[in-house]
Amino acid sequence: MEHRFQVDLRGIVDLLSHHLYASPRVFARELVQNATDAITARREFEPGWSTAGVRIEPLVDGGLRVHDDGIGLTDTEVHTFLASVGRTSKRDELGFARQDFLGQFGIGLLSCFMVADAVEVVSRSARGGPAVRWTGYADGRYTTTVDDTARDEIGTTVTLRPRSDTTHWLTADQVRDLVRGYAHLLDVPVLLTRPDAEPVALTEPRAPWEVAHDDPEVRRDALLDYGATVLGARPMDVIDLRVPEAGLVGVGFVLPSASTVGQGGHRVYLKRMLLSDDASKLLPEWAFFVRCVVDTSVLRPTASREALYEDDLLSTVRQSLGEQIRGWLLDLSVSRPDRLAAFLRVHHLGVKALAVRDDEMLRLVDAWLPFETSRGMMPLRTFRQHLAMIRYVETVDEFRSLAAIASAAGTPIVNAGYAYDAEILQRLPRLDPTIRARRLDPGELAARLETLSPGQLASAAGFLATARAVLAELDCVPQLRQFDPVTVPALYVVGQAAREQDSVRRGREGSDELWSDVLSAFDDVDVDHRPELVFNWRHPLVRRLAGHQPGPALRHAVEALYGQALLAGHHPLRAVDSAALNRSFLALLDRAFSDPPVTGPGTPEESR
């Protein structure tokens, strides 16, 4: 025996309002959408026919009436469209499932029950027949009658009777704002009518990007003004966007301030009806500095009609729009370098993200984007002139501690401590195979510093012996060099070999016996690589210490310089390092205040 499912309309409405639609406000979109589809159908049915548009009238009793002069519905079509949920085959037969129509899911009218207890539809079809009155109720009942009292005018009138808790959705101001937000780009006239006022047009004849201007700069300024209304601030620039295979056209606005991935979405219209003002996945992730306003006639919406459906076509659109934004950047580098420079100052992160995968953008970054170097801010192309090798460091702290010394040693370096910088430097040989770039080994830099003469080394032998003993307890070895700037008394240097050996040893200490044996295989036991504390002979304090007698004071001075070098280089402090720093600080203070006070002639005792 065959049975049919029983559908609880209240349950369906609850499903729509809490799980499908983000807000009851979509009832306004669905009403205008249905009216627009009816007008489109009548244009197909009666070529040459001209519409008067859609009229929206808030009622005195709190209800809302929407009228269109579209194709209308016959009695059979009323049952098919208004009393069925999810039935699409009959819609296809009647011609209401084509791409020309906005609605495709057959559930639009049900959204009205999110704000109404009863929905009344009076419709007369252009195909002939009497007017039909259909009244649906939120409890699942509906009635249909032939309405002999209706006017002979072809079209459909929908009247909503609100619930007591939803009257605010049907006020004149609320309906005006909702319809204008959703439908202002429709090419069908939509008017808000009130008995005591002139009709208000809620749609515009052309989208902002469709308005023609004789001067391209005038058009650009007009679009930037429009962008200010969309973003809340005037954009930096505007990019025309077009993807014919998706029926997509619109503009992209370059944000005037720095943004991050996932911050804010795009405004997308589907056949000139707003689909979402916060759509995502329209652009590649690297293009997060652009916000789009586009209209598409082909991309598929989700069932809620509030987002785009992820499919192969959307992926193609995303790739195409990314190529157009990339082309805009390359055009700027040729035609408007001033605009490119202003753009890069704000949105360098997005450009660098693209450069790590795109050779043309890598070329643009190489030529135009300033990098922080020991010679100052400059593009990489300028920095690498007359250099056989580009050397860089991968942390900001390392750059700050080494930049001045590297320049003095004739080894200029690039700060690659920011996002994507190291990857960009490693990709530079793709532009020119003769370009070489590698990370600077601080140990290599220390070896390049100027050595002392034999006489200078002999005079500092006692100091070096004390330093060697003190630093051995701190897993460090002393070096004595002379370098600029003279304001740096000591430099703490961790070479690559020392860093790797330290990492292995720390791993062994924190592992069980099995893993400790495995890691021992990676430890070069024949060579002890340790960090170096490089004393600067050109600093007056170092020269005075070199002539000082060995003893506790000299030991504490070495510990103090060790701690100061760690802090200046932003190196992490171990417990043993903190202990040495505290010990030297307190000892030197004690020594400074342990000698008898010296007073000048006539100095009062109280002032000592």
Side-chain angles (χ1 to χ4, degrees), residues 200-502:
V200 177
L202 302 180
T203 55
E204 303 169 6
R206 288 176 293 180
W209 53 84
E210 295 172 338
V211 178
H213 295 277
D214 294 332
D215 187 342
E217 285 300 315
V218 173
R219 179 178 181 272
R220 177 176 180 271
D221 286 340
L223 287 173
L224 291 177
D225 290 340
Y226 169 64
T229 66
V230 174
L231 303 177
R234 189 175 173 85
M236 180 178 293
D237 209 342
V238 60
I239 309 168
D240 281 298
L241 302 173
R242 185 179 298 273
V243 185
E245 57 266 40
L248 184 145
V249 63
V251 290
F253 294 112
V254 181
L255 298 179
S257 57
S259 181
T260 57
V261 176
Q263 182 178 354
H266 310 283
R267 180 174 293 186
V268 177
Y269 294 84
L270 179 61
K271 299 163 191 167
R272 307 182 76 90
M273 176 73 78
L274 180 66
L275 181 74
S276 173
D277 56 7
D278 193 26
S280 60
K281 300 182 180 179
L282 187 65
L283 296 181
E285 283 191 359
W286 60 261
F288 53 80
F289 50 84
V290 175
R291 295 291 179 271
C292 296
V293 182
V294 297
D295 177 56
T296 175
S297 60
V298 181
L299 286 177
R300 295 170 56 194
T302 57
S304 67
R305 301 185 63 77
E306 294 177 306
L308 292 171
Y309 183 78
E310 182 68 46
D311 58 10
D312 290 342
L313 181 57
L314 180 57
S315 178
T316 300
V317 166
R318 187 160 48 240
Q319 181 178 353
S320 177
L321 294 180
E323 286 297 314
Q324 292 174 54
I325 294 171
R326 170 182 171 275
W328 167 79
L329 284 169
L330 295 176
D331 287 343
L332 282 188
S333 67
V334 175
S335 60
R336 295 303 301 263
D338 56 328
R339 288 184 183 173
L340 177 63
F343 168 81
L344 290 176
R345 282 194 294 270
V346 177
H347 296 297
H348 55 274
L349 190 60
V351 176
K352 290 196 291 186
L354 181 57
V356 299
R357 68 188 76 173
D358 184 281
D359 288 351
E360 286 302 315
M361 292 306 300
L362 178 65
R363 198 178 306 277
L364 182 146
V365 165
D366 178 48
W368 294 97
L369 183 64
F371 277 68
E372 186 178 15
T373 79
S374 57
R375 292 175 173 175
M377 297 295 295
M378 64 183 67
L380 293 175
R381 180 181 295 178
T382 303
F383 173 79
R384 71 170 188 267
Q385 290 179 355
H386 312 300
L387 288 179
M389 173 75 70
I390 300 176
R391 292 179 173 84
Y392 61 89
V393 293
E394 290 188 340
T395 69
V396 175
D397 288 340
E398 193 174 20
F399 177 80
R400 289 171 179 169
S401 64
L402 297 179
I405 297 168
S407 290
T411 308
I413 58 176
V414 178
N415 180 8
Y418 300 104
Y420 305 113
D421 287 358
E423 295 96 321
I424 288 172
L425 287 162
Q426 292 163 7
R427 279 178 54 88
L428 284 178
R430 296 177 65 91
L431 304 182
D432 183 350
T434 63
I435 300 175
R436 294 189 299 159
R438 67 178 177 86
R439 180 179 177 180
L440 174 72
D441 184 349
E444 174 190 349
L445 177 62
R448 287 172 172 265
L449 298 177
E450 185 179 349
T451 59
L452 274 64
S453 66
Q456 292 170 326
L457 286 174
S459 66
F463 168 71
L464 281 175
T466 299
R468 202 171 289 114
V470 171
L471 296 178
E473 300 173 4
L474 301 169
D475 294 322
C476 186
V477 294
Q479 296 287 349
L480 191 55
R481 297 285 190 272
Q482 45 189 345
F483 55 87
D484 291 324
V486 296
T487 55
V488 177
L491 177 68
Y492 184 78
V493 175
V494 185
Q496 184 65 27
R499 183 181 291 107
E500 293 173 354
Q501 192 172 73
D502 181 68

Side-chain angles (χ1 to χ4, degrees), residues 42 70 87 104 130 160 210 317 328 332 346 522 537 552 605 607:
R42 188 170 179 185
R87 182 181 298 172
Q104 296 182 27
L160 306 187
E210 295 172 338
V317 166
W328 167 79
L332 282 188
V346 177
F522 296 93
W537 181 256
E605 183 71 19
S607 65

